[in-house]
Amino acid sequence: MQIVDFDKSCLEKAKRLVFENYDEERKMVPVLPGDAGFPPLDVLAENGLGVAAVEDGKLLGFLSAYGPFQPAFYTQDLRGVFSPVHAHAVQKEERIRIWHRLYQAAAEKWVKAGASSHAIALYAHDSEAQTAMYQYGFGMRCMDLIRDLSPVAAPEISGIAVREAHSLEVRLLRVALADHLAQSPAFMLDDEEDLQRWLDRKENSDDRVFAAYKNGKPIAYMEVCANGETFANYAPSMANICGAYCMPEERGAGVAQAVLNQMIRALHDEGYQQLGVDCESFNPTAAAFWRKYFTPYTHSVVRRIDENAFKKPQNHK
């Protein structure tokens, strides 16, 4: 096995290998769309951050990434790279060994580019890829999940109105979501300027909002958009939840389920077939809710290397 640069000569073989890995996950999660669009790999073959494993003219696997970008994960001085599920693929045979060789070579490039945060989205049912990355210091941070558009089981509740809402109506709930994410164990803290920019962007987007009201005030919301975090999200048959929050005192009564069902009914009537969502795995409230009604199909793992790696090597005698 040789490790070489991932360049344009690898593109066609890489694309076939990406779809082979996606089909593996579809066998485990059949609701994944078969009409998923495929993003171009050209930029990944040109940015100098990718590597490929080859043997006797066969592509055994490749690992590439977008970036470096800053800030990474809410940390202003943190520089990172991200490899989504279409930016890597590895054959079934000797998968752990190939992943190890690929990451060792790719990580060297990523560190030379100044990236100390390395994030890779893996398929949720690819246990060998996850084992390989866990052995190399990665931990889980995010997940993508999916379901069909059948209603979820929900209790009957009274005194609650659920409808499609204007984005401005849920501003206080968005602020409460930001406060929630800033707490342990997520520790995803925005400063005031970043929070304001996020609120402005949300309130001026085309995302649709569904909300539950009690005594005329919104107590829970979910918003949905056309695209998401993986190439599967870009299938025309799929919509994606891109924000949600329920007031703590209203949880457990079926309010969130009622909002979800209202969204599902609307999307079903419009011809959608799947609904996706992404969340942080270390947000226990969200992860518990989404896992109850959706099936995970990716686990994103992250490693932050020791920043001493960026220091000039010393000569030791």
Side-chain angles (χ1 to χ4, degrees):
M1 182 186 356
Q2 290 181 297
I3 303 298
V4 300
D5 291 336
F6 179 65
D7 57 27
K8 288 188 175 182
S9 68
C10 304
L11 289 181
E12 288 305 314
K13 292 178 181 178
K15 186 174 180 179
R16 287 196 294 270
L17 202 53
V18 168
F19 275 117
E20 286 178 14
N21 284 191
Y22 181 64
D23 286 341
E24 281 184 49
E25 189 66 17
R26 280 193 73 209
K27 289 181 173 66
M28 305 302 297
V29 188
V31 70
L32 279 167
D35 58 344
F38 190 83
L41 297 178
D42 299 68
V43 65
L44 296 169
E46 295 169 352
N47 66 11
L49 297 176
V51 296
V54 297
E55 188 172 81
D56 298 328
K58 181 182 179 182
L59 181 68
L60 308 181
F62 77 100
L63 173 59
S64 59
Y66 294 102
F69 50 85
Q70 187 174 335
F73 297 123
Y74 297 82
T75 304
Q76 292 300 320
D77 60 349
L78 181 61
R79 192 169 169 87
V81 294
F82 176 52
S83 180
V85 287
H86 68 272
H88 59 75
V90 177
Q91 69 173 24
K92 287 184 178 181
E93 296 77 16
E94 296 190 287
R95 183 166 281 175
I96 291 177
R97 184 170 79 94
I98 296 169
W99 261 110
H100 281 167
R101 291 288 303 278
L102 288 172
Y103 176 69
Q104 182 178 1
E108 185 174 5
K109 290 188 173 192
W110 298 349
V111 170
K112 285 181 179 179
S116 57
S117 174
H118 303 169
I120 306 174
L122 304 172
Y123 285 118
H125 296 86
D126 188 347
S127 59
E128 289 185 295
Q130 293 183 53
T131 296
M133 293 297 93
Y134 294 161
Q135 289 175 347
Y136 272 24
F138 284 76
M140 187 175 169
R141 181 186 176 105
C142 309
M143 65 179 78
D144 291 284
L145 308 93
I146 191 171
R147 66 167 291 112
D148 63 22
L149 290 184
S150 60
V152 305
E156 292 290 333
I157 51 177
S158 60
I160 302 295
V162 182
R163 60 173 174 81
E164 192 161 354
H166 191 281
S167 187
L168 289 172
E169 296 178 62
V170 299
R171 183 181 182 87
L172 293 180
L173 293 178
R174 286 198 173 107
V175 173
L177 171 60
D179 289 341
H180 169 75
L181 290 172
Q183 306 305 312
S184 180
F187 296 114
M188 295 170 61
L189 178 62
D190 270 331
D191 61 31
E192 287 299 322
E193 290 184 2
D194 286 338
L195 175 59
Q196 189 58 54
R197 281 193 290 268
W198 176 69
L199 290 170
D200 291 343
R201 185 173 67 253
K202 283 291 188 180
E203 290 168 0
N204 289 287
S205 73
D206 294 327
D207 300 344
R208 297 167 63 186
V209 176
F210 295 81
Y213 295 80
K214 185 176 183 179
N215 298 324
K217 295 183 178 181
I219 58 172
Y221 85 100
M222 293 182 188
E223 57 187 315
V224 63
C225 58
N227 302 323
E229 300 292 326
T230 73
F231 73 90
N233 298 136
Y234 285 77
S237 60
M238 188 169 176
N240 299 277
I241 295 172
C242 51
Y245 187 74
C246 180
M247 298 298 290
E249 62 270 20
E250 304 296 343
R251 295 172 191 167
V255 175
Q257 292 90 334
V259 177
L260 179 58
N261 275 337
Q262 182 72 15
M263 177 186 288
I264 284 173
R265 283 191 291 270
L267 295 173
H268 180 272
D269 291 346
E270 293 164 14
Y272 288 96
Q273 298 176 33
Q274 300 97 4
L275 180 60
V277 67
D278 65 90
C279 72
E280 286 72 30
S281 55
F282 51 49
N283 178 357
T285 306
F289 180 83
W290 298 125
R291 281 195 187 108
K292 188 173 182 180
Y293 300 108
F294 290 68
T295 301
Y297 68 94
T298 79
H299 290 163
S300 288
V301 296
V302 178
R303 179 190 183 199
R304 182 170 178 176
I305 68 162
D306 190 332
E307 276 80 1
N308 283 329
F310 299 110
K311 294 181 179 179
K312 184 176 181 180
Q314 302 293 316
N315 292 322
H316 297 286
K317 295 182 179 180

